[in-house]
């Protein structure tokens, strides 16, 4: 990875502060931080003022701060539980407040969790068109998890199945490789870029 800090913003779309989705996002954050020179920022849609979301207050200080975290990011992780075969309403209301090309030039990693494997394609059919409308052209395959693969531990944390951990680790590794490749390209002297 580059010597400069890479910035990654995790957009968490759960309407509940205590959610199995946290098991995925916390695991991903730990793996990102362990990869070196990575600064992780969070946008938790549920923590934004409800009035700002419902009334689409683009000029709200909280919304502007959240959008700033997305704007300065090299990559964005978009995470949501699946409700009614799609991502959550609170995530949609936040995504609606992002500028039109907010994800242009960014690598995006989707993470979904749902009650059944039958919602596996929710990332492709529900989320990816919205990401494309926001300018995202480099969306990784992402990870879909079933609720049963994440359990809340007695200590208040989350336990993930070994298979889910491996899939998340692979996705984080892919994200880091893609960012590193992109950073190397931008840091190369102009004459070396074409070989």
């Amino acid at each position: 990875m580059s010597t400069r800090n890479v910035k990654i913003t995790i957009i968490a779309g759960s309407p509940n502060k205590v959610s199995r989705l946290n098991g995925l996002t916390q695991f991903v954050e730990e793996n990102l931080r362990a990869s070196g020179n990575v600064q992780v920022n969070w946008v938790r849609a549920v923590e934004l003022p409800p009035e700002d979301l419902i009334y689409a207050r683009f000029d709200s200080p909280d919304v502007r701060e959240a959008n700033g975290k997305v704007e300065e990011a090299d990559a964005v992780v978009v995470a949501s539980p699946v409700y009614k075969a799609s991502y959550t309403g609170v995530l949609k209301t936040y995504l609606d407040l992002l500028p039109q090309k907010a994800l242009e030039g960014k690598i995006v990693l989707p993470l979904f969790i749902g009650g059944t494997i039958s919602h596996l394609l929710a990332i492709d059919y529900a989320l990816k068109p919205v990401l494309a409308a926001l300018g995202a052209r480099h969306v990784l395959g992402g990870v879909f998890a079933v609720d049963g693969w994440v359990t809340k531990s007695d200590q208040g944390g989350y336990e993930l199945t070994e298979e889910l951990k491996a899939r998340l680790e692979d996705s984080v590794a892919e994200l880091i490789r893609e960012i590193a490749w992109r950073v190397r390209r931008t840091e190369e002297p102009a004459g070396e870029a074409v070989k």
Side-chain angles (χ1 to χ4, degrees):
M1 186 81 72
S2 166
T3 54
R4 78 167 174 88
N5 258 7
V6 169
K7 294 182 180 179
I8 299 176
T9 296
I10 299 175
I11 301 174
S14 177
N16 302 311
K17 291 183 181 180
V18 179
S19 166
R20 283 185 171 86
L21 181 69
N22 296 343
L24 275 66
T25 54
Q26 289 170 6
F27 186 84
V28 165
E29 178 184 22
E30 289 167 12
N31 275 263
L32 287 170
R33 290 188 190 281
S35 67
N37 299 338
V38 175
Q39 175 186 331
V40 178
N41 292 309
W42 285 83
V43 173
R44 292 178 175 89
V46 72
E47 293 178 0
L48 292 169
E51 304 82 26
D52 293 348
L53 293 172
I54 297 300
Y55 294 112
R57 293 183 178 149
F58 293 88
D59 60 346
S60 151
D62 293 296
V63 170
R64 284 196 317 236
E65 180 184 347
N67 289 354
K69 292 176 184 178
V70 174
E71 182 181 340
E72 68 184 18
D74 297 289
V76 177
V77 176
V78 180
S80 179
V82 174
Y83 289 177
K84 307 261 190 307
S86 186
Y87 53 91
T88 63
V90 70
L91 178 60
K92 177 67 165 101
T93 56
Y94 173 64
L95 293 177
D96 286 347
L97 293 174
L98 282 169
Q100 179 144 8
K101 296 296 178 185
L103 299 179
E104 193 169 52
K106 299 184 189 311
I107 302 166
V108 181
L109 172 63
L111 301 176
F112 271 26
I113 188 166
T116 170
I117 199 72
S118 65
H119 294 304
L120 175 67
L121 296 177
I123 290 173
D124 290 327
Y125 292 115
L127 183 66
K128 285 187 178 178
V130 175
L131 298 177
L134 290 168
R137 298 294 174 262
H138 194 157
V139 181
L140 302 181
V143 174
F144 179 90
V146 174
D147 287 343
W149 300 349
V150 180
T151 54
K152 295 177 185 174
S153 69
D154 295 335
Q155 295 77 31
Y158 299 89
E159 294 177 10
L160 283 59
T161 64
E162 291 304 314
E163 180 186 344
L164 178 55
K165 285 181 187 177
R167 290 177 53 220
L168 290 169
E169 286 168 352
D170 288 347
S171 289
V172 168
E174 180 185 14
L175 179 61
I176 293 298
R177 277 194 310 273
E178 294 294 326
I179 293 170
W181 179 81
R182 190 172 281 187
V183 167
R184 273 196 312 274
R185 283 194 57 207
T186 60
E187 290 179 348
E188 286 175 347
E192 291 181 29
V194 181
K195 282 192 175 181

